[in-house]
Amino acid sequence: MLSGCTSGGAATPAPPDAAVVHTASGTLRGTVAPDHRLFAGVPYAAPPVGPLRFRPPAPASAWEGERQATRFGPRCLQDPGSDPEFGRQTDEDCLTLNVWTPPVSERKRPVMVWIHGGAFVNGSGGIYDARWLAARGDIVVVTVNYRLGTVGFLAHPGLGEPGDVGNYGLADQQAALRWVRDHIADFGGDPERVTVAGESAGGMSVCDHLVAPGSAELFDAAIIQSAPCQAQAPLPVAEQRSLEYAAAVGCPDPATAADCLRALPADKLRKPVWFVGIGADDLTGPVTGTTALPVDPPRAIADGKAARVPVLIGTNRDEFTLFVALRYLQQGDRYTPEQYPGLLADTFGPNAAEVAARYPVDRYGPDPRTNVPLAYSAAVTDGEFACVTDRMADGLSRAAPVYAYEFNDRAAPAPEPLRTLPFPVGASHSLELRYLFDVGGAPPLSGEQQTLSEQMIDYWSTFVATGAPSAPDGPDWPQVGDGSYLSLQPDGSRVTTGFAAEHQCAFWSTLGR
């Protein structure tokens, strides 16, 4: 009998090429490994350039023939002065996404749409190698680029109808979610089981999607990592800052500013527009009181107006040490005991003296090179991250199941510069990401840390699949209910009810934080 023929003589059809996916927009050719597939640089919206700059994303054009999907698309336009990827290509034509899948199967897999962090001014979806989640977690992962900084969030009143300006980056994320709804089945994903997830600014975006009218019905669960879901820029403030920004780049006349801004060279718009200042930090990002985001997320959640979906939410034990470290490395800030009251005043205003009494420098050791950065970091970690997370978890849990965690590996691998400081960064902001994604740039995980990584992947992926996290080798993860948190640790994760007390959340609630 000839190979490839059945006993009846009919040829056996060749198996489909796992590297090829046919979509309504055209055919894509990705890459195939033994345990996953990747389709990179897939356009989900039209290039937002020329007349489409400062407008909601338009549909992507279809293409003829086979499109190569083997390389990540350019990062969205960003300021090279705050560039964590050291100059990799940026472009306004950047609205692409990347799809990581398990090997081909007849079964549709649940989907996680990952929104990257970067303070709404830098970063990209291409940083996050999601093959571990696809292979071990048996889920489809979509990582997304969205407009950043000025081109993503400028809220000049001349750019649209009243209240319908800014938030272009948020609209990009919604367009990506719609693309997932319409196309992910072609990649083996289940459009009926979509979790929107993100860290830092990506997690703040998830908070926005929980309350944004345009995001309704686009996802079934949410993951919020290390995201202080706090009040964002109100429209009047954002409009005034945007008018000032436009004047500074050569478009001072509000009547002609829209055409002027759309005609500027892209390099003129790399510097972000800043809406809000908190202490030494300036912030940009989504604008509230707008058509896209009518109500601030914390208020909407407190009022029970958030999407009623399961939420996995958490924070890292030492969040703010990263930001103190970056100031130390980039600006040469060397905090001293004499500077401590001023640091607290810049951050906490009239409450600074009360904060100082709760976070005295001498509690953090005798060495001022160490104790001042650690005291300041602890105060901001508790007041701006941990207790905000605790309050959000409590509010969200009144409407749907909520599972809360604290990442507590204080020896987590960190990039080289963070290992040369006079103070330890501990379980700092973003360090949990390398337990879920292969993000590189740090020493490898130890054996115990690798076990924790696998456990976290199991928890995250079962949450994406079922709305409830579980891991075969980890403790049962209860809903937040009585203040229960899962403390994620390499020597054994454990359930604790001491999170709020450890971070002094009762004190912070008296300050309105």
Side-chain angles (χ1 to χ4, degrees), residues 63-276:
W63 59 87
E64 297 291 334
E66 194 173 84
R67 181 187 180 104
Q68 293 297 305
T70 57
R71 299 179 62 185
F72 299 114
R75 298 177 303 148
C76 288
L77 195 71
Q78 49 200 271
D79 180 8
S82 59
D83 185 354
E85 296 178 76
F86 307 106
R88 195 168 69 79
Q89 180 187 2
T90 65
D91 199 312
E92 274 195 280
D93 181 1
C94 65
L95 299 186
T96 62
L97 50 76
N98 316 296
V99 183
W100 302 81
T101 87
V104 174
S105 167
E106 292 298 317
R107 183 171 57 85
K108 297 298 185 186
R109 270 58 172 253
V111 182
M112 184 176 85
V113 179
W114 180 259
I115 302 172
H116 71 78
F120 295 109
V121 298
N122 56 45
S124 73
I127 298 172
Y128 302 91
D129 184 324
R131 68 183 188 273
W132 300 339
L133 283 158
R136 182 181 178 89
D138 198 35
I139 62 174
V140 172
V141 181
V142 179
T143 65
V144 179
N145 284 355
Y146 57 95
R147 280 174 284 181
L148 302 166
T150 297
V151 295
F153 298 100
L154 190 75
H156 193 290
L159 293 174
E161 296 298 319
D164 196 17
V165 294
N167 296 323
Y168 309 111
L170 190 67
D172 294 341
Q173 296 170 13
Q174 291 170 334
L177 287 166
R178 291 193 296 272
W179 184 96
V180 167
R181 178 195 63 196
D182 297 339
H183 297 282
I184 204 62
D186 299 327
F187 298 81
D190 185 350
E192 300 298 322
R193 288 185 295 168
V194 175
T195 296
V196 63
E199 183 266 348
S200 195
M204 293 177 71
S205 299
V206 175
C207 293
D208 295 336
H209 291 302
L210 285 168
V211 304
S215 304
E217 310 300 327
L218 292 178
F219 58 93
D220 311 285
I223 297 174
I224 303 169
Q225 297 179 213
S226 298
C229 301
Q230 298 173 328
Q232 293 169 300
L235 181 60
V237 171
E239 286 186 327
Q240 181 58 40
R241 299 288 187 273
S242 297
L243 285 163
E244 295 166 359
Y245 185 98
V249 295
C251 301
D253 183 355
T256 60
D259 289 341
C260 178
L261 288 163
R262 291 188 175 110
L264 286 175
D267 281 349
K268 281 270 195 178
L269 301 170
R270 284 189 181 275
K271 292 290 185 183
V273 56
W274 301 120
F275 293 150
V276 182

Side-chain angles (χ1 to χ4, degrees), residues 11-37:
T12 302
D17 187 344
V20 174
V21 165
H22 303 283
T23 76
S25 299
T27 300
L28 293 164
R29 177 172 288 277
T31 56
V32 179
D35 60 355
H36 73 277
R37 300 184 300 164

